[in-house]
Amino acid sequence: MDRKNTVLSGSGLTVSYGSNVVLEGIGFSVKEGEFVAVVGESGCGKTTLLNAIAGFVSFSGVVDKPKKIGVVFQNYAVFPWLTVEENIAFGLEGDDAAVEHYLAMIGLDDKREGYPFELSGGQVQRVALARTLAASPELILMDEPYGALDVYTRDRMQRWLLDVWRKEKKTIVFVTHSIDEAVFLADRVLMLKNKRIAGEFPVKFRRPRSKEIKYSKRFAELKKTIMKAINED
Amino acid sequence: MYCLLPLLVFILVWQAVSESGVVNRTLFPPASEVFLAIVELIKSGELLVHVKSSIWRVILGLTLGSLAGTTFGLLTGRIKFFEESFSPIFQVFRSFPPVAVIPLVIVWLGIGEIAKLFSISFAVFFPVWVNTHIGASQIPVHFLQAARTLTNSVLKKWLKVILPASMPFIVAGMRNGVAVAFIMVFVSELAGSSNGLGYLMSVSQLTYRMDNLIAGLLVLGLLGALTDYCFVKFTRRLFPWIGKTQS
């Protein structure tokens, strides 16, 4: 892999909580502008991997990462005491143009003075992504951001995210328990199993992707392959 | 309107018992006499002087006690050094009934305004401190992690994340503080003062003016309830997000 193009890489990454080893000797690399999804069963260490990359937990091994990393969490990380506008502006130093740009991008210009409790789940997640993007990170880590959304909102948010990703050209590592979501969004799906990255699946659907590809045979086959790999002993 | 019914019954029973001759009317004046005493105290301007003195002491004591309680609560809630240094001593002091410190305060600071303010602030400090401490130590980790990825400014993290994230607890502590402040203003004015509702009641007791004593008590109760009501309204307006969950 071309080192110049690599935004994130790790080798021998091991995370333990006391005597409980959660991740062991993980190696990976992510290219600039790439959309990588991480899947695996509950408790396999997906969130721990993101936390280690973000620097939220201590680990042994090497992680080569950019200075500015943004994180989008599943729940409750949009500050409830700040309005939509204030949340987006949190990581900025008085850059009004950037706030306006991201308010327009998430389509919540008319709710700029509103608080998160006045918004729907999908709207809150859009604010969370806008706040992260506004801080201009070189890498965005997303931890099951749509896990709490209903299936229709989730579907809409996935297409919106692809649109934003295409326009903003950011590198994204996206953790999800939904294989469907991973295959639809990512260029590459990494499978976490038995404390390691046990599989890597390139996703070769053309972009921009429409929701129609979810009904294609190739999509179903790739999903089945990943599912089988996860369930194999 | 239903809420007024028990109050009306209470006043009627009070009036009837006092008028019946079963109790000593001088010691237990009827509601009508207390009402007239309140009117007289208002007309003479005496009540306003006492109310203003007491309210001013409550506001100042509440402000000082809350500022100190919030500052120390945030520090002990977030920084291990402060928690280990201050929490044990605050926990011991917190167990004292606040009124028990008044004799010592009189010996040390006399019966002037400083002594009263100290007594009220001291009593307000502990409920505000313990609530803030709990709130600050229980901030959801995602808020702190998000702040960490978005800003390097320590001041911004404290002022825009840690302080507001602890705000529901600070408000709860201050609401307890309001109640405690009214108890303390009354007791400290009883202990020695030339104005305030506590003083009015103390003088009324010495001169056997039970109508004025009960009038002072009612006004103090009304003021406490009104202050609590205003505090709740004010905090709801200032922090509309408290207690609200996302739709």
Side-chain angles (χ1 to χ4, degrees):
Chain A
M1 189 173 285
D2 181 5
R3 282 290 302 166
K4 278 183 186 172
N5 244 355
T6 302
V7 170
L8 172 71
S9 65
S11 61
L13 173 65
T14 300
V15 179
S16 310
Y17 296 123
S19 59
N20 179 28
V21 179
V22 183
L23 298 173
E24 194 170 21
I26 296 241
F28 56 87
S29 70
V30 180
K31 281 182 182 176
E32 187 179 351
E34 199 178 11
F35 198 129
V36 174
V38 181
V39 295
E41 289 182 336
S42 288
C44 73
K46 302 186 294 286
T47 296
T48 303
L49 176 62
L50 280 203
N51 284 341
I53 296 170
F56 298 152
V57 295
S58 53
F59 58 88
S60 60
V62 178
V63 173
D64 194 6
K65 60 182 180 181
K67 271 188 181 170
K68 289 196 87 175
I69 293 181
V71 183
V72 179
F73 303 88
Q74 182 179 348
N75 277 325
Y76 310 117
V78 169
F79 302 131
W81 51 87
L82 297 181
T83 62
V84 168
E85 188 175 2
E86 289 165 344
N87 261 292
I88 294 172
F90 187 88
L92 298 166
E93 298 299 334
D95 188 350
D96 292 344
V99 175
E100 294 305 321
H101 168 75
Y102 288 107
L103 269 172
M105 185 190 84
I106 62 174
L108 289 176
D109 198 32
D110 57 330
K111 292 191 172 167
R112 58 169 64 212
E113 301 293 332
Y115 285 94
F117 75 83
E118 297 167 317
L119 307 177
S120 68
Q123 287 172 328
V124 169
Q125 274 304 0
R126 276 191 269 164
V127 175
L129 183 60
R131 183 182 68 176
T132 304
L133 285 167
S136 304
E138 294 159 74
L139 169 69
I140 297 176
L141 308 174
M142 301 182 79
D143 185 10
E144 301 204 31
Y146 305 146
L149 303 180
D150 65 80
V151 68
Y152 308 105
T153 312
R154 190 177 184 137
D155 193 58
R156 222 172 29 248
M157 291 296 292
Q158 288 168 359
R159 281 178 278 132
W160 177 78
L161 177 62
L162 284 183
D163 194 40
V164 170
W165 175 70
R166 185 171 56 82
K167 288 174 186 160
E168 299 284 327
K169 298 179 174 57
K170 295 288 179 186
T171 311
I172 294 179
V173 177
F174 190 101
V175 159
T176 177
H177 62 264
S178 162
I179 297 170
D180 186 278
E181 186 168 70
V183 173
F184 180 65
L185 294 173
D187 296 315
R188 202 152 47 98
V189 178
L190 302 179
M191 180 188 71
L192 263 183
K193 191 176 170 182
N194 300 329
K195 304 168 189 175
R196 298 170 182 277
I197 291 177
E200 184 176 330
F201 305 89
V203 184
K204 290 176 178 166
F205 297 113
R206 268 192 323 198
R207 293 191 188 272
R209 291 173 185 170
S210 73
K211 65 176 177 180
E212 303 307 319
I213 66 159
K214 286 190 178 182
Y215 311 118
S216 71
K217 200 177 166 191
R218 277 175 61 212
F219 192 92
E221 278 170 2
L222 184 54
K223 264 177 66 179
K224 192 175 163 187
T225 307
I226 298 170
M227 184 65 89
K228 272 180 79 177
I230 290 173
N231 291 329
E232 262 173 15
D233 289 329
Chain B
M1 293 304 282
Y2 287 111
C3 63
L4 292 177
L5 197 64
L7 184 67
L8 194 68
V9 171
F10 173 75
I11 291 169
L12 286 175
V13 170
W14 172 9
Q15 185 75 23
V17 170
S18 184
E19 299 278 12
S20 66
V22 175
V23 291
N24 185 338
R25 195 186 158 103
T26 314
L27 298 179
F28 193 69
S32 55
E33 269 183 32
V34 173
F35 176 73
L36 287 175
I38 292 174
V39 172
E40 194 51 47
L41 285 167
I42 292 171
K43 269 187 183 170
S44 65
E46 199 183 343
L47 189 65
L48 187 65
V49 170
H50 295 309
V51 166
K52 270 166 74 176
S53 304
S54 295
I55 282 287
W56 186 235
R57 286 172 190 136
V58 164
I59 290 171
L60 269 181
L62 192 64
T63 306
L64 292 174
S66 297
L67 276 175
T70 302
T71 307
F72 275 98
L74 291 174
L75 292 173
T76 56
R78 293 302 325 161
I79 301 172
K80 207 175 174 187
F81 167 77
F82 281 95
E83 181 176 14
E84 287 175 352
S85 308
F86 290 97
S87 289
I89 195 162
F90 287 164
Q91 290 292 5
V92 172
F93 276 45
R94 197 166 73 88
S95 312
F96 297 168
V99 290
V101 301
I102 285 186
L104 199 61
V105 171
I106 291 172
V107 172
W108 284 347
L109 299 171
I111 56 168
E113 286 304 315
I114 300 287
K116 288 181 186 57
L117 278 183
F118 179 84
S119 304
I120 299 166
S121 307
F122 178 85
V124 167
F125 174 84
F126 293 102
V128 177
W129 167 73
V130 77
N131 276 278
T132 309
H133 173 86
I134 292 168
S137 58
Q138 291 180 357
I139 297 173
V141 69
H142 282 171
F143 289 150
L144 301 169
Q145 290 173 339
R148 191 172 145 185
T149 61
L150 291 165
T151 181
N152 292 322
S153 164
V154 176
L155 190 66
K156 194 169 185 178
K157 280 177 200 163
W158 277 87
L159 291 182
K160 288 204 162 185
V161 179
I162 293 171
L163 176 64
S166 312
M167 197 52 79
F169 288 84
I170 297 172
V171 167
M174 283 181 71
R175 196 172 174 192
N176 282 341
V178 171
V180 172
F182 270 93
I183 294 170
M184 291 307 285
V185 78
F186 169 70
V187 178
S188 59
E189 284 170 357
L190 271 186
S193 183
S194 56
N195 51 39
L197 289 167
Y199 166 78
L200 171 71
M201 282 183 266
S202 174
V203 169
S204 304
Q205 187 214 5
L206 292 172
T207 55
Y208 262 63
R209 284 295 304 270
M210 293 302 138
D211 52 345
N212 277 1
L213 200 158
I214 296 172
L217 200 62
L218 286 178
V219 172
L220 191 68
L222 272 174
L223 273 181
L226 190 68
T227 309
D228 184 67
Y229 176 82
C230 292
F231 181 80
V232 170
K233 284 273 172 199
F234 175 70
T235 49
R236 276 191 192 153
R237 201 179 177 89
L238 204 60
F239 312 114
W241 48 273
I242 289 181
K244 298 276 176 55
T245 50
Q246 184 208 311
S247 57

